[in-house]
Amino acid sequence: MLIRKPADIPSSEITPESVYLRRRELMKGAVALAGAALLPGGVSAAELKALSYRAAETAEDNPFYTSEAQTPFKDATSYNNFYEFGTAKDDPAQYAAALTTDPWSIEVEGEVGKPGRYHLEDLLKGMDIEERVYRLRCVEAWSMVIPWLGFPLSTLLARFEPTSKAKYVQFETLFRPSEMRGQRSAFSTIDWPYTEGLRMDEAMHPLTLMSVGMYGKVLPNQNGAPIRLVVPWKYGFKSIKSITKIRFTEKQPRSSWQRIAPDEYGFYANVNPEVDHPRWSQRYERRLPSSLFAPQRIKTQMFNGYAEQVASLYKDMNLRRYY
Ligand SMILES: Nc1nc2c(c(=O)[nH]1)N[C@H]1C(S)=C(S)[C@@H](COP(=O)(O)O)O[C@H]1N2
Ligand SMILES: [Mo]
């Protein structure tokens, strides 16, 4: 267990006090979860795993942390994009409860030494869950600051032993129309399943997180339970939810949004205030909670503020062309 009782934490680690208090908050979350284990049907491996994790660091120069105000849990879980449950921002919160997330498995295929179907609990075994406070900016120009729980995607991918031909990795979301009402809609724009992809070096970058929880709890269904990607320097649509397939490929895969509107949504989708979406500017964002009277309009940063960590991945690329 990575989480420790207050008595186990040396005093050198409890300054400033806010860190200590935050740890306590996190542990309260863990206790609440332990209570959930009493629910009929038991508690999933993901839930058990989320009980133990490293609390976020506070160092200003830590790329896995931001001291910006965190988006309240209520906003992060009620204003979502998850088209499998509908296109309105409040649809996921209303309808995602229908999704069964346990048992869950992930199929691994393509250019890889260890293909197969893996149970989520096996994949989580021995995985160190840590907390990372990341900004996430949607292409529609709202943004949030969320304390995610997860582990580096690189740790997981390495276990499957990608071959030397694996240049990209593609992800797919579950296709289960019986539980995902958006997939039953006659008006749906997406050719299901939702897919996304990363170049191998992006996938292996230490900032790229596989998340199983947020705010000290397991992921709410509307945020992509039981396991989703978080790529904080890219527009939100790259952070694919409820993943059931990982495919290693030699050629660049096509993502769902590229297929829907290739002029508007590129493969890279790096947050870039200099490159407008064809229908709107990307210079500013609305930090949630945002309202008519308190719009919280802030300037968007290059690579969503993670340029120091990731700019080198794109150093010889024309980012207007590769948007
Ligand atoms: N499977 C799936 N994943 C998805 C989406 C989706 O519609 N389906 N929407 C994306 C978009 S556009 C955004 S902005 C983020 C939103 O994540 P959040 O609701 O946790 O903030 O999820 C991304 N992942
Ligand atoms: Mo988005």
Side-chain angles (χ1 to χ4, degrees):
M1 295 268 284
L2 286 163
I3 200 160
R4 289 169 292 179
K5 295 193 293 294
D8 301 335
I9 300 171
S11 55
S12 60
E13 279 186 61
I14 60 177
T15 46
E17 191 179 46
S18 62
V19 182
Y20 171 72
L21 290 176
R22 276 179 45 70
R23 283 219 175 93
R24 294 216 41 166
E25 278 306 307
L26 296 171
M27 283 186 297
K28 269 196 257 158
V31 171
L33 253 175
L38 299 171
L39 291 172
V43 69
S44 72
E47 284 172 312
L48 286 173
K49 208 47 214 181
L51 294 177
S52 53
Y53 56 87
R54 248 180 255 130
E57 309 278 332
T58 53
E60 290 294 325
D61 57 355
N62 182 341
F64 305 146
Y65 182 81
T66 172
S67 55
E68 286 160 83
Q70 291 176 17
T71 301
F73 180 78
K74 187 179 148 288
D75 297 277
T77 55
S78 60
Y79 193 86
N80 304 97
N81 267 346
F82 199 167
Y83 276 38
E84 284 81 345
F85 298 103
T87 54
K89 303 296 174 227
D90 55 355
D91 280 343
Q94 207 179 336
Y95 300 116
L99 179 65
T100 310
T101 58
D102 183 21
W104 194 270
S105 62
I106 297 184
E107 214 172 320
V108 176
E109 56 183 49
E111 293 297 339
V112 70
K114 292 184 166 170
R117 182 183 282 278
Y118 294 85
H119 292 294
L120 181 62
E121 49 250 64
D122 293 333
L123 293 178
L124 294 179
K125 241 174 242 161
M127 207 61 98
D128 282 356
I129 308 286
E130 55 188 284
E131 183 178 64
R132 296 180 174 197
V133 185
Y134 279 164
R135 289 178 290 275
L136 189 67
R137 188 199 187 280
C138 180
V139 72
E140 292 165 79
W142 82 76
S143 67
M144 307 197 205
V145 174
I146 296 183
W148 300 102
L149 298 179
F151 48 86
L153 175 64
S154 61
T155 315
L156 183 68
L157 297 190
R159 285 196 189 177
F160 306 135
E161 300 177 3
T163 72
S164 59
K165 280 189 181 167
K167 300 284 190 279
Y168 296 88
V169 54
Q170 186 178 17
F171 303 88
E172 272 182 28
T173 293
L174 181 71
F175 178 68
R176 190 184 286 160
S178 62
E179 293 182 353
M180 297 173 133
R181 70 195 319 265
Q183 294 177 334
R184 301 197 293 268
S185 164
F187 307 104
S188 95
T189 42
I190 297 178
D191 195 7
W192 310 108
Y194 190 101
T195 80
E196 257 309 334
L198 294 172
R199 211 170 60 190
M200 208 58 185
D201 58 346
E202 299 177 320
M204 299 306 279
H205 191 279
L207 277 177
T208 305
L209 191 74
M210 269 300 226
S211 174
V212 293
M214 56 197 268
Y215 300 87
K217 304 177 173 75
V218 293
L219 275 180
N221 282 7
Q222 59 266 41
N223 294 90
I227 186 162
R228 58 96 51 93
L229 198 63
V230 184
V231 194
W233 72 93
K234 293 179 180 282
Y235 291 119
F237 65 86
K238 300 295 284 183
S239 292
I240 183 171
K241 296 172 169 178
S242 305
I243 296 167
T244 52
K245 194 175 276 193
I246 300 178
R247 183 184 295 123
F248 294 83
T249 65
E250 197 171 1
K251 288 204 188 117
Q252 184 177 301
R254 279 225 293 172
S255 61
S256 288
W257 285 102
Q258 260 184 304
R259 270 181 280 157
I260 296 161
D263 302 339
E264 302 186 15
Y265 310 102
F267 175 79
Y268 285 95
N270 292 318
V271 173
N272 188 342
E274 306 292 322
V275 178
D276 290 342
H277 183 279
R279 292 183 280 134
W280 57 81
S281 162
Q282 293 292 19
R283 292 204 172 275
Y284 291 89
E285 63 199 56
R286 286 181 302 115
R287 177 63 51 83
L288 298 191
S290 154
S291 71
L292 204 56
F293 304 106
Q296 298 222 72
R297 191 167 174 262
I298 56 176
K299 268 196 159 139
T300 290
Q301 301 176 70
M302 188 64 200
F303 296 112
N304 203 24
Y306 300 97
E308 210 176 299
Q309 289 79 37
V310 301
S312 63
L313 297 177
Y314 312 103
K315 68 178 184 332
D316 296 320
M317 288 173 64
N318 176 349
L319 298 178
R320 287 190 177 275
R321 174 148 187 238
Y322 298 101
Y323 54 91

